[in-house]
Amino acid sequence: MELHKLLQKQIKKYLGDIDTNQFPINEFINNVNQSYLAFERDRELMEHVFIQSEKEYNEINKSLKEEYNLKQQSIANLYNSLKVLEDEVDEIKNEDIDDLLYISKYLNQQIGKGKEIEKDLLTTVELLKTLLANLQSGILVEDENRKIHFTNQLFCDMFSIPINPDQMIGVDCTESVEQSKHLFVDSENFGPRITELLLHKKIVTNELIETVHGKFLERDYIPIFIKNVYKGHLWKYTDVTNRIKTQALLKQSEERNRLIMKSALNAIITINTKDAITFWNNQAEIIFGWKKEEVLGKSLADIIIPNIHKEAHKLGMKKFMETGEGPVLNKQIELRALHKNGNEFPIEISIIPIQQNNELIFCSFIQDISERKAAENNLKYQEEKYRNIIANMNLGLIEVDNNEIAKYVNQSFLEISGYEESEIIGKKPSSIFFAWNNEEFISNKIENRKKGISEIYQVPVKNKRGELRWWAISAAPNYDDKGNQTGSIGIHLDITSQKKLEIELEQEKIKAQEASKSKEVFLANMSHEIRTPLNAIIGFLRELSKQQLTELQKNYVENSSIASKHLLAIINNILDISKIEAQEMILDEEDFSLQKSITNVVNVLEPKATQNGTKVIVNLDNKIVKTLKGDPLRIEQILFNLIGNSIKFTSKGEITISTKLIHENPNSQQICITIKDTGIGMDADFVENIFKKFSQEDKKTTRKFGGTGLGMAITKELINLMNGSIHIESQKNIGTSIDVILNLPKSYVDFKKTNTSNNHSINIEDTKILLVEDNELNRMVAQNSLQYYNCLVTEAENGLEAIKALKKEDFDIILMDIQMPELDGIETTTIIRNELKLKTPIIALTANAFKSEIEKCYAAGINDYVTKPFDEDLLIEVIYKNLNKNYLLKNTKDELLYNLNSLYNLSRGNNDFVFKMIEIFIKQTEETIIKINDAIKSNEFSEVSKLIHKIKPSVEGMGIKSLMEDMKNLEVISKNKNDKEIIRLFEIIKESLQLAIVQLKENELKN
């Protein structure tokens, strides 16, 4: 309760810092405070009364003077008036009644007394005004007409009134409600509530209203009655914002605490000193099965404490109440508890005594640890199990600390090392086992452990007997429960026997690799030795066929050509199977017509079938798209092998070649090619072995029909490379049916258009060619072919003669044999590039088509190659392609270097896609050319290789086929840092790409 300001000053002055809230002082102070307040009210009333009295007295005095002559009447009237005013008037003696002086004196005495009372009353009023003015509340006193008698500054501040309280006296407040209601949140009800209070004229206190500025005011309304007559009222407004906010925060805090306790993961239970449950949260219901309503007020011992612990619980409560000590209080302990269903389970409990409102309660925080206990027991079991495993396993285990001092070894480690436990514990294992030539290796491994790296490695050691052993070690850092590294653990396995076997296997592998290399060298030499004379035979037969011959001579030449080509096919088969074994067989992917490929094969083989009296029937499924993507050369090779075998082993009846669409996919078709004949057939046992190399059913078959036994093996491998499959069904003397199943991508390009594009006549007339070949017959064959195209050919029998010739004159092309005496083709090319600094294109004439041989050629600086025996058209085409860059560019300016068929096929009719891909290609290529120039200037040739490899797919995607071989060569030689050849090849590639970009911009992007 707020004290009167004057009273506060007096208390502070006379009583000092005494605590006024203590009983009975507070009661006394409150009574005094009420007297001050009563005095203020009485003073106001007395002031009003005496003002009226004085007025009446003055009027009477005036009347006496004016009507002095009417003394008797006046005295009588005065006397009557005195009787009305004062009860004591009867004390006047009868003889003094008519004495005006006496009555006047008497009146003066009464007036003096009234002034003294008035003076006291004014003092009281001023005191009350001062008290009201300094109250910590806004005060407004109005009369019955709502005119202001008094207000204080705090009231003016609360209602934003810009004048001081003295100026407010006498102001009419009738319209003030409308002027002030905007200050309050509930502005609509502010005025009606004021009207209601004034109407009922009853005391209303502690009425809460909220301002728009977030403050809370407590309003009191006190009507003023004097002798039961309404004379006005008092408004009191007290700012209680802090109190309201504090109450809200307290309420919020209580609600939050209630929610926390209700939602806690731990069961929270409180009991009083009589063991009665006073709080039971939701988790307690879950853990113990009892609902809150079932347990409140009941004894905790009867609800959750097992019988075995009830007595101890009661004794503990009793001891605490007597001594204030409890053995289980304020600590975390594990006990058994009782569920509603009667089952006991382990809990973790903390009991805390709390004083609340002078009442002692015990708050328990309880957690069901059944799962944890089960996990701990399981962990304990597992630890025991693994401890037994570690102690008895066949793997040696050692544990060391951070200083590499051994702390533990198991029995198996002692057995494989030969040492006793006492000889290892407390020592560094590295000083015992790794004492020679691998200190650095072991140190690195130890450092890795310190860095937290786990690894497995093998290391040679010496056991106690001095024997060399090999251990496989799995080492890992060891950590404590807090994640601090405490050392490392190593698990050791003696792999001496395996290591010996590994060494033996490595030696066998080396032998196998050497044997494979020897095989490759043998095949290369065999290929060279056979292809070299075969090149001459086929070449001379080709030249002979150009002459005017008789029919008999033509027949001889034709048969000789067939025989030589058959021999070539045998050699090719042997090389193909070798390539497949060496994983050097690479499939191309281009647009082709399956119908066309089958027709080509049938056209070649059908005459032989007709000669045998066998009919060839072709049935093609028209559901198969006209153009597919694949390697037509290898597919035709498969067909040649299979159809050729059918013709070979079918002397009568018919051979049917048919195709069938098995499954249609959005971007591909699964196709079955079936070759069925009525030939001699095969036994079921041989069908299982038919794909083995060099396999023939019997010797009679080999003698009668010939063959190497490689065709079906090659066919199988080629089909596997195409991710296809082959199935054979055959019956002896009835026939054979072979199904080849391939999944080929669709092409949306017209195959006829792709076949007719880029046809141009090849003109190499007057080309100066240096022919380097040690075999005279091969020189003669090549000479005849080149002279047919009016080339100027200079011969050199070996590399030394070639060097001499190049020093004397310049050539447009060099045809270089690889295997030659004195100076072979690789060595000669190296001298030409590095010593003579010549950039003349060099084409290898090699009888070895192995990938390793070709890569050697490219690495040395050779630009291209043709295998012997060479096809004349292919040789001329390769020469034409590799002529010097000016000649090449001069003859291709009017021809398109690019072919967008594959890109249009990929776009599926989306021209915007094609347009965007061309823009990306141009931007990427122009940027890459600049980067390659910079890399060459900086001698960063490995970067050249990476950049060429990066743009090669884009160049191929644009169909710039003429550059693919050069780009492949540049990618290879860049790895070997042959800078002169790198620059030469890059200049060719760069100018071709720049020309292709110009053509693309003019022809494809202009529209």
Side-chain angles (χ1 to χ4, degrees):
M1 178 178 180
E2 291 288 340
L3 299 180
H4 191 281
K5 190 172 183 180
L6 182 59
L7 179 59
Q8 290 180 356
K9 290 181 178 179
Q10 292 171 341
I11 290 171
K12 186 174 182 182
K13 181 176 180 180
Y14 297 107
L15 300 180
D17 295 329
I18 188 169
D19 186 0
T20 59
N21 291 322
Q22 291 183 355
F23 182 85
I25 294 175
N26 62 337
E27 193 71 19
F28 171 77
I29 296 297
N30 287 337
N31 290 332
V32 174
N33 189 55
Q34 290 297 324
S35 68
Y36 270 75
L37 296 176
F39 175 79
E40 291 286 350
R41 291 193 298 271
D42 293 344
R43 178 187 175 185
E44 182 180 354
L45 294 174
M46 290 296 291
E47 182 182 22
H48 179 72
V49 170
F50 279 101
I51 288 172
Q52 294 296 325
S53 298
E54 185 178 16
K55 182 178 179 182
E56 291 176 2
Y57 282 134
N58 289 332
E59 287 176 355
I60 293 170
N61 187 43
K62 184 178 179 181
S63 297
L64 287 172
K65 288 179 181 180
E66 291 176 352
E67 299 179 4
Y68 185 78
N69 296 325
L70 300 174
K71 177 182 177 184
Q72 293 299 323
Q73 183 66 39
S74 299
I75 290 173
N77 291 337
L78 181 60
Y79 181 74
N80 292 331
S81 297
L82 288 173
K83 288 180 69 174
V84 172
L85 292 172
E86 294 289 343
D87 294 334
E88 296 178 359
V89 76
D90 292 335
E91 297 176 2
I92 300 175
K93 299 178 181 179
N94 292 331
E95 63 268 19
D96 295 327
I97 290 174
D98 295 331
D99 190 345
L100 183 60
L101 293 175
Y102 179 84
I103 293 173
S104 177
K105 184 179 179 182
Y106 178 80
L107 286 174
N108 285 332
Q109 290 175 349
Q110 295 301 319
I111 290 171
K113 289 180 181 180
K115 285 184 177 181
E116 287 294 328
I117 294 171
E118 182 182 358
K119 184 179 179 182
D120 292 340
L121 184 59
L122 286 173
T123 302
T124 303
V125 168
E126 287 301 319
L127 185 64
L128 289 173
K129 283 184 177 181
T130 303
L131 178 63
L132 290 174
N134 292 280
L135 281 178
Q136 295 303 308
S137 300
I139 302 296
L140 177 67
V141 179
E142 299 174 328
D143 63 14
E144 65 273 18
N145 298 315
R146 297 211 62 195
K147 289 185 178 181
I148 298 175
H149 272 214
F150 174 81
T151 187
N152 63 356
Q153 185 62 48
L154 190 56
F155 179 86
C156 295
D157 294 341
M158 286 180 176
F159 285 84
S160 302
I161 298 172
I163 60 179
N164 60 54
D166 293 336
Q167 294 173 301
M168 293 283 289
I169 303 300
V171 174
D172 190 346
C173 291
T174 307
E175 303 297 328
S176 64
V177 172
E178 289 298 319
Q179 298 169 0
S180 302
K181 68 179 184 179
H182 71 280
L183 297 173
F184 299 94
V185 173
D186 191 4
S187 59
E188 295 299 323
N189 290 324
F190 183 75
R193 180 57 180 162
I194 294 289
T195 303
E196 182 182 357
L197 293 174
L198 293 173
L199 179 63
H200 290 95
K201 296 180 176 60
K202 292 183 179 180
I203 294 176
V204 175
T205 59
N206 301 330
E207 192 171 67
L208 194 65
I209 56 176
E210 184 179 1
T211 72
V212 294
H213 300 298
K215 291 189 175 183
F216 292 90
L217 302 180
E218 191 174 75
R219 180 172 63 193
D220 295 343
Y221 168 74
I222 304 172
I224 300 173
F225 289 90
I226 300 175
K227 294 184 179 180
N228 297 323
V229 178
Y230 176 67
K231 292 296 184 178
H233 47 263
L234 180 142
W235 299 101
K236 177 185 173 187
Y237 291 88
T238 305
D239 189 342
V240 293
T241 305
N242 290 335
R243 190 184 77 195
I244 295 299
K245 289 184 177 179
T246 302
Q247 288 175 347
L249 290 173
L250 181 61
K251 184 178 179 181
Q252 197 176 55
S253 177
E254 289 174 351
E255 180 64 17
R256 182 167 57 249
N257 291 337
R258 186 185 66 80
L259 290 174
I260 290 172
M261 293 182 71
K262 188 175 179 180
S263 305
L265 296 177
N266 285 355
I268 301 177
I269 302 171
T270 62
I271 61 172
N272 58 23
T273 54
K274 296 179 180 179
D275 198 38
I277 298 171
T278 58
F279 181 81
W280 185 274
N281 73 343
N282 291 347
Q283 192 64 21
E285 293 184 355
I286 295 171
I287 292 178
F288 296 103
W290 294 94
K291 293 294 183 183
K292 177 174 64 175
E293 296 79 10
E294 297 176 301
V295 298
L296 289 180
K298 294 184 179 180
S299 171
L300 183 70
D302 295 335
I303 300 298
I304 68 170
I305 299 178
N307 292 331
I308 192 173
H309 297 308
K310 284 183 179 180
E311 189 62 29
H313 171 71
K314 291 178 181 178
L315 291 174
M317 288 280 289
K318 182 179 179 181
K319 181 178 180 181
F320 181 82
M321 297 307 296
E322 292 174 352
T323 66
E325 297 179 358
V328 297
L329 298 178
N330 299 312
K331 61 178 68 173
Q332 208 169 55
I333 59 174
E334 293 182 5
L335 294 172
R336 304 289 295 179
L338 193 64
H339 192 271
K340 183 179 180 180
N341 59 18
N343 293 333
E344 290 187 16
F345 61 96
I347 62 169
E348 188 174 74
I349 182 171
S350 300
I351 306 173
I352 303 171
I354 300 173
Q355 284 284 347
Q356 185 178 34
N357 298 328
N358 296 322
E359 181 183 355
L360 178 66
I361 63 172
F362 298 93
C363 184
S364 300
F365 298 88
I366 303 171
Q367 184 178 0
D368 183 352
I369 59 172
S370 301
E371 292 184 2
R372 192 179 79 190
K373 277 296 181 183
E376 288 176 356
N377 292 335
N378 184 55
L379 180 62
K380 185 177 180 181
Y381 169 76
Q382 295 294 335
E383 286 178 350
E384 186 66 27
K385 182 175 73 173
Y386 289 121
R387 191 177 293 110
N388 291 332
I389 292 173
I390 289 171
N392 299 288
M393 67 180 179
N394 291 325
L395 299 174
L397 184 141
I398 186 170
E399 181 180 345
V400 299
D401 62 16
N402 287 326
N403 297 317
E404 288 301 307
I405 303 300
K407 296 297 182 182
Y408 172 79
V409 290
N410 70 347
Q411 184 60 36
S412 295
F413 186 87
L414 299 176
E415 292 174 359
I416 64 173
S417 66
Y419 286 88
E420 296 294 330
E421 183 177 4
S422 59
E423 296 175 299
I424 299 175
I425 298 299
K427 299 179 181 178
K428 290 187 176 182
S430 56
S431 63
I432 301 174
F433 304 105
F434 314 115
W436 75 98
N437 295 334
N438 47 12
E439 294 90 344
E440 184 178 351
F441 176 80
I442 298 302
S443 296
N444 290 337
K445 299 303 177 184
I446 293 172
E447 286 301 315
N448 287 343
R449 295 303 82 69
K450 293 179 180 179
K451 295 175 183 177
I453 301 174
S454 301
E455 58 187 333
I456 299 175
Y457 54 91
Q458 298 177 2
V459 64
V461 299
K462 282 187 178 180
N463 60 16
K464 187 176 181 179
R465 293 182 292 275
E467 299 169 340
L468 177 63
R469 311 293 293 179
W470 277 90
W471 286 355
I473 302 176
S474 174
N478 194 17
Y479 300 94
D480 61 17
D481 295 339
K482 296 180 180 179
N484 300 317
Q485 187 170 343
T486 59
S488 58
I489 294 177
I491 297 176
H492 303 68
L493 176 65
D494 190 326
I495 57 168
T496 305
S497 301
Q498 295 92 318
K499 196 67 179 179
K500 289 180 180 178
L501 180 60
E502 181 183 320
I503 294 171
E504 291 173 0
L505 289 174
E506 184 65 26
Q507 292 172 347
E508 292 299 322
K509 179 182 176 182
I510 294 171
K511 290 179 182 179
Q513 289 174 339
E514 290 175 350
S516 177
K517 189 174 182 180
S518 299
K519 174 185 172 183
E520 185 176 326
V521 171
F522 167 75
L523 288 173
N525 290 332
M526 183 196 74
S527 174
H528 180 268
E529 294 302 322
I530 297 176
R531 283 173 181 269
T532 298
L534 191 58
N535 182 53
I537 294 169
I538 294 175
F540 282 127
L541 288 172
R542 182 174 58 247
E543 294 301 317
L544 191 59
S545 65
K546 297 177 183 179
Q547 308 301 319
Q548 295 292 329
L549 302 173
T550 65
E551 289 299 320
L552 181 60
Q553 290 172 332
K554 286 182 180 180
N555 188 37
Y556 288 160
V557 170
E558 184 179 345
N559 288 336
S560 297
S561 296
I562 292 172
S564 60
K565 289 178 180 179
H566 179 68
L567 179 58
L568 180 61
I570 294 173
I571 297 170
N572 286 338
N573 279 344
I574 295 172
L575 292 178
D576 279 346
I577 201 70
S578 299
K579 285 182 181 179
I580 291 170
E581 288 178 348
Q583 296 183 346
E584 293 184 358
M585 180 68 75
I586 300 174
L587 297 178
D588 294 327
E589 185 175 277
E590 58 185 75
D591 301 322
F592 78 103
S593 168
L594 181 61
Q595 178 182 353
K596 179 72 174 175
S597 294
I598 293 173
T599 302
N600 289 342
V601 175
V602 170
N603 288 342
V604 173
L605 297 178
E606 191 171 21
K608 178 65 176 176
T610 303
Q611 183 180 351
N612 290 347
T614 306
K615 184 179 180 181
V616 177
I617 302 170
V618 179
N619 294 320
L620 302 178
D621 190 343
N622 57 14
K623 295 179 183 177
I624 297 173
V625 296
K626 299 299 181 184
T627 311
L628 297 163
K629 297 181 77 66
D631 190 332
L633 180 64
R634 295 302 178 184
I635 289 176
E636 289 179 13
Q637 183 178 353
I638 291 169
L639 295 174
F640 269 114
N641 282 340
L642 298 178
I643 298 174
N645 281 345
S646 291
I647 293 173
K648 184 193 296 185
F649 296 112
T650 304
S651 58
K652 61 180 179 177
E654 63 184 27
I655 299 171
T656 302
I657 300 106
S658 60
T659 60
K660 181 182 178 181
L661 177 62
I662 298 176
H663 187 68
E664 179 81 41
N665 294 310
N667 301 317
S668 64
Q669 288 186 329
Q670 190 176 44
I671 298 167
C672 178
I673 305 172
T674 301
I675 297 98
K676 189 174 184 179
D677 63 52
T678 58
I680 63 175
M682 295 174 283
D683 289 332
D685 293 340
F686 180 68
V687 170
E688 296 178 1
N689 299 313
I690 193 171
F691 297 117
K692 292 182 179 179
K693 290 177 285 188
F694 308 110
S695 63
Q696 295 279 7
E697 188 169 10
D698 55 44
K699 294 181 180 180
K700 293 180 181 179
T701 303
T702 306
R703 287 195 296 269
K704 181 177 181 180
F705 297 102
T708 60
L710 290 175
M712 292 303 289
I714 294 171
T715 297
K716 172 70 172 176
E717 293 296 337
L718 289 175
I719 292 172
N720 287 343
L721 285 173
M722 296 177 188
N723 295 318
S725 60
I726 181 170
H727 307 281
I728 300 177
E729 293 182 3
S730 184
Q731 287 184 299
K732 197 69 173 176
N733 301 319
I734 293 178
T736 302
S737 177
I738 301 175
D739 291 334
V740 176
I741 298 174
L742 300 174
N743 194 20
L744 299 173
K746 295 177 183 177
S747 174
Y748 299 93
V749 177
D750 190 341
F751 179 71
K752 292 180 179 178
K753 290 183 180 179
T754 62
N755 258 358
T756 57
S757 63
N758 290 333
N759 282 335
H760 56 269
S761 58
I762 294 177
N763 181 10
I764 59 172
E765 186 175 352
D766 295 330
T767 300
K768 293 181 66 177
I769 298 175
L770 176 61
L771 174 62
V772 187
E773 170 65 67
D774 66 320
N775 187 283
E776 185 178 359
L777 295 178
N778 284 337
R779 290 201 304 274
M780 189 181 299
V781 170
Q783 184 76 266
N784 288 338
S785 295
L786 296 171
Q787 286 177 353
Y788 180 79
Y789 286 88
N790 297 321
C791 295
L792 306 176
V793 182
T794 300
E795 295 184 4
E797 293 187 11
N798 55 52
L800 293 176
E801 290 188 8
I803 300 298
K804 291 178 182 178
L806 289 167
K807 288 180 179 179
K808 293 179 181 179
E809 59 180 310
D810 296 330
F811 295 91
D812 298 320
I813 290 287
I814 301 171
L815 299 180
M816 182 75 70
D817 185 23
I818 297 303
Q819 290 191 354
M820 296 183 296
E822 297 191 47
L823 198 65
D824 65 26
I826 300 295
E827 295 169 331
T828 305
T829 300
T830 303
I831 293 172
I832 293 171
R833 298 299 186 216
N834 298 336
E835 296 181 15
L836 301 184
K837 311 295 184 182
L838 296 178
K839 299 180 180 179
T840 308
I842 301 174
I843 300 171
L845 298 176
T846 176
N848 184 353
F850 281 98
K851 181 181 178 181
S852 57
E853 184 72 15
I854 303 304
E855 287 180 351
K856 288 179 184 177
C857 293
Y858 288 145
I862 290 174
N863 304 87
D864 216 329
Y865 72 94
V866 176
T867 56
K868 299 176 185 177
F870 62 80
D871 179 81
E872 184 179 279
D873 292 337
L874 177 61
L875 175 63
I876 300 306
E877 184 179 340
V878 172
I879 291 173
Y880 175 76
K881 184 183 76 172
N882 284 277
L883 284 173
N884 67 75
K885 60 181 180 180
N886 294 326
Y887 183 88
L888 178 64
L889 293 174
K890 180 180 69 178
N891 285 276
T892 56
K893 282 183 179 178
D894 297 330
E895 301 172 6
L896 291 181
L897 291 179
Y898 65 88
N899 185 330
L900 301 180
N901 287 337
S902 295
L903 188 58
Y904 277 109
N905 176 35
L906 183 63
S907 74
R908 300 180 190 172
N910 186 346
N911 291 330
D912 290 338
F913 172 79
V914 175
F915 187 86
K916 186 67 176 177
M917 291 300 292
I918 293 173
E919 285 186 328
I920 293 172
F921 167 76
I922 292 173
K923 180 181 179 182
Q924 182 190 52
T925 304
E926 288 175 341
E927 291 175 351
T928 304
I929 288 174
I930 294 172
K931 291 179 181 178
I932 294 176
N933 269 324
D934 294 341
I936 290 175
K937 289 178 183 177
S938 305
N939 292 326
E940 295 178 358
F941 299 119
S942 60
E943 185 66 19
V944 174
S945 178
K946 292 177 183 177
L947 291 168
I948 286 293
H949 180 78
K950 179 180 177 181
I951 64 168
K952 192 165 64 174
S954 301
V955 174
E956 187 175 10
M958 289 294 129
I960 310 176
K961 302 292 186 183
S962 59
L963 287 181
M964 295 313 297
E965 201 67 35
D966 287 336
M967 294 183 76
K968 182 179 178 181
N969 295 346
L970 181 57
E971 184 181 356
V972 172
I973 65 173
S974 295
K975 297 176 182 178
N976 298 300
K977 300 183 179 179
N978 189 341
D979 54 341
K980 299 298 181 182
E981 185 62 15
I982 290 171
I983 295 171
R984 186 191 72 79
L985 267 180
F986 174 62
E987 288 300 321
I988 294 174
I989 293 169
K990 182 175 73 173
E991 295 199 23
S992 296
L993 285 175
Q994 290 172 339
L995 179 58
I997 289 172
V998 171
Q999 292 177 345
L1000 285 167
K1001 288 180 177 179
E1002 292 179 352
N1003 300 331
E1004 307 298 335
L1005 300 183
K1006 187 171 287 186
N1007 296 327

